[in-house]
Amino acid sequence: QQGTPRRVNSLGSGFVIDPSGLIVTNNHVIEEADEIIVSFTDGQKLKVEEIVGRDSKTDLAVLRVKPEKPLTAVGFGDSSRMRVGDWVMAIGNPFGLGGTVTVGIVSARNRDINAGPYDNFIQTDASINRGNSGGPLFNMEGEIIGINTAIISPTGGSIGIGFAVPSSTAVNVINQLRDFGETRRGWLGVRIQEVTDDIAEGLAMAEAVGALVAGVTDAGPAAEAGIQPGDVILKFDGRDVDAMHELPRMVADQPVGKEVEVLVLRKGKQESIKVKLGRLEEAEQVAALEEDPDEEAEEEAPLVVAGPLGLTLADLSPALREDYEIKEEIDGVVVTEVAPGSAAEEKRVQAGDVI
């Protein structure tokens, strides 16, 4: 209350992946820490010498310690082989009680809990509590098939709904962090939205699958390959895109520069397009450089009309074109606001859409 800084201790879990001293945990466990200490079950304590790399999108971090003798490491298994009902075991440090083991089953796979762009969590009823974050989820062969990351809990304690990053996602990220100190994800250069039943009916699709391309980034890989807004991406690199949220993970898992085959539905016909992937991180850096907060656009006073559908519409002014990245050749009226609970919000109309 007097404005004096306060030192706070945080507790989490982790595991050794290399006897020389490489340790994996969650990024949120070590975020903004000024000192990180790793405590082992034999009482040994080692100070982290280096944060090798971290990734906020999958909430993973790789740390390095320098042990006097080689540490005991654990290995990864194949999470894609896990089935709902398979037994799993979590080990971690809940509420500071180090070396706590809990068991349960896989409750569900490929869960999207809106934690990040690459959600495909393993859900388990093995007790996971505060402090378990970053700890391993083992299969019955003693292989790590998940990294415990999140829980849903109105009370703060375990209610049997915990989530782990699957090894199929984590291994690729961890290897990149270990080798490069950063992630190097593939980049397609599209903005996508879900194919709803209404959209599928409008496009004469038998079922609502795939990812609808809502926009294409200028000079991005998709634009150069000929992917267009309105296309529905059905397959990526030979794999079916069953739902929109699967596509970003499929793209990110591919190496930068790889040429992949993308199957799209365009005007009722399927078309195969070859795309050479770019690098996501470089695209994000360029986008950040292009945003100049000091540059003020000339303000015009566009005509604004509020409609009964829950939409607020405005004339397309230069300022609005810049705000919503609308190209000059596009004409119409722009949606500037969508009323909560309206018919427009229900149909996923968003600010920046052009009618």
Side-chain angles (χ1 to χ4, degrees), residues 8-340:
V8 178
N9 289 328
S10 174
L11 293 172
S13 304
F15 53 92
V16 179
I17 60 169
D18 189 301
S20 66
L22 282 181
I23 293 172
V24 171
T25 187
N26 279 146
N27 180 53
H28 78 258
V29 169
I30 54 98
E31 199 167 20
E32 298 183 9
D34 53 10
E35 186 179 46
I36 306 168
I37 304 295
V38 179
S39 300
F40 295 86
T41 51
D42 62 1
Q44 181 182 199
K45 292 190 176 184
L46 295 175
K47 184 176 179 179
V48 169
E49 302 285 334
E50 175 192 9
I51 298 176
V52 177
R54 59 173 72 190
D55 178 42
S56 60
K57 290 185 172 69
T58 53
D59 196 14
L60 296 175
V62 179
L63 316 175
R64 186 186 301 279
V65 296
K66 291 185 178 179
E68 293 181 359
K69 58 182 181 180
L71 301 172
T72 302
V74 288
F76 286 99
D78 185 359
S79 60
S80 66
R81 296 176 58 190
M82 300 300 293
R83 302 164 300 172
V84 173
D86 281 349
W87 284 93
V88 289
M89 178 172 62
I91 300 181
N93 183 36
F95 303 110
L97 301 170
T100 297
V101 181
T102 55
V103 295
I105 61 168
V106 173
S107 304
R109 294 178 51 194
N110 302 319
R111 282 291 197 218
D112 182 359
I113 61 172
N114 296 315
Y118 309 121
D119 281 15
N120 67 330
F121 290 102
I122 295 172
Q123 181 182 328
T124 178
D125 68 346
S127 293
I128 296 175
N129 291 282
R130 293 178 181 175
N132 272 110
S133 290
L137 186 70
F138 290 99
N139 61 17
M140 290 297 100
E141 282 72 50
E143 300 167 328
I144 295 176
I145 48 85
I147 299 171
N148 303 319
T149 297
I151 61 172
I152 290 179
S153 172
T155 63
S158 173
I159 60 170
I161 304 178
F163 302 95
V165 178
S167 61
S168 58
T169 296
V171 168
N172 189 36
V173 173
I174 290 168
N175 286 340
Q176 289 182 4
L177 294 177
R178 178 168 58 182
D179 295 342
F180 310 117
E182 60 184 1
T183 54
R184 298 186 176 182
R185 293 188 169 97
W187 177 56
L188 189 58
V190 293
R191 296 189 302 279
I192 56 174
Q193 69 183 69
E194 183 182 354
V195 178
T196 62
D197 290 335
D198 289 344
I199 290 173
E201 184 180 348
L203 296 174
M205 297 172 62
E207 54 181 334
V209 296
L212 177 64
V213 177
V216 180
T217 305
D218 290 337
E224 293 178 358
I227 293 176
Q228 302 172 6
D231 289 348
V232 177
I233 298 177
L234 301 175
K235 285 190 175 185
F236 179 84
D237 198 30
R239 298 164 62 191
D240 291 333
V241 181
D242 294 323
M244 176 202 70
H245 73 270
E246 295 179 0
L247 182 62
R249 188 175 66 254
M250 289 180 179
V251 176
D253 285 344
Q254 298 300 321
V256 177
K258 180 180 178 180
E259 187 175 74
V260 298
E261 187 173 336
V262 180
L263 182 68
V264 303
L265 180 69
R266 178 180 299 171
K267 297 179 180 178
K269 295 181 180 180
Q270 293 188 5
E271 187 174 332
S272 183
I273 299 173
K274 295 278 190 180
V275 184
K276 185 178 180 180
L277 299 178
R279 185 182 171 196
L280 176 65
E281 290 77 12
E282 290 178 353
E284 290 176 337
Q285 290 172 6
V286 169
L289 289 172
E290 288 176 350
E291 292 179 6
D292 188 356
D294 299 323
E295 186 178 327
E296 294 185 5
E298 289 187 19
E299 284 293 334
E300 297 183 9
L303 177 65
V304 177
V305 178
L309 296 176
L311 297 176
T312 302
L313 307 173
D315 288 334
L316 267 174
S317 66
L320 288 174
R321 285 185 186 276
E322 184 176 338
D323 288 344
Y324 294 117
E325 299 180 359
I326 301 167
K327 297 178 181 178
E328 288 296 327
E329 60 265 25
I330 295 177
D331 292 319
V333 291
V334 64
V335 178
T336 58
E337 191 175 342
V338 181

